[in-house]
């Protein structure tokens, strides 16, 4: 897990083949914006991802540009 005090998180999604023209959506739902934590501790990262005319095949969580985990099955989360 990342160990510095400030993290820039990103979520990447990959679509299965056969998707349509509507862009997929993704949102980090936990932690909430501005939420703070005390060290040491665990933080659960949760993302909602969907594609109205296709299928999500994986969701990748990145911290400061580095991959920390890949989730292939919803719910997409990591602790």
């Amino acid at each position: 897990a990342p160990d510095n005090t400030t993290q820039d998180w990103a979520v990447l999604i990959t679509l299965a083949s056969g998707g349509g023209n509507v862009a997929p959506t993704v949102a980090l739902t936990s932690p909430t914006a501005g939420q703070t934590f005390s060290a040491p501790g665990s933080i659960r990262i949760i993302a909602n991802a969907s594609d109205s005319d296709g299928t999500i095949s994986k969701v990748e969580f990145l911290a400061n540009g580095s991959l920390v985990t890949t989730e292939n099955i919803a719910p997409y989360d990591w602790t």
Side-chain angles (χ1 to χ4, degrees), residues 1-38:
D3 60 3
N4 55 339
T5 59
T6 302
Q7 299 295 324
D8 289 322
W9 288 93
V11 179
L12 303 177
I13 58 175
T14 301
L15 303 176
S17 61
N21 295 327
V22 178
T25 61
V26 63
L28 282 174
T29 59
S30 178
T32 58
Q35 193 171 355
T36 60
F37 302 90
S38 298

Side-chain angles (χ1 to χ4, degrees), residues 27-56:
L28 282 174
T29 59
S30 178
T32 58
Q35 193 171 355
T36 60
F37 302 90
S38 298
S42 295
I43 302 168
R44 185 174 182 197
I45 309 297
I46 304 171
N48 287 334
S50 64
D51 186 16
S52 64
D53 61 351
T55 304
I56 305 294

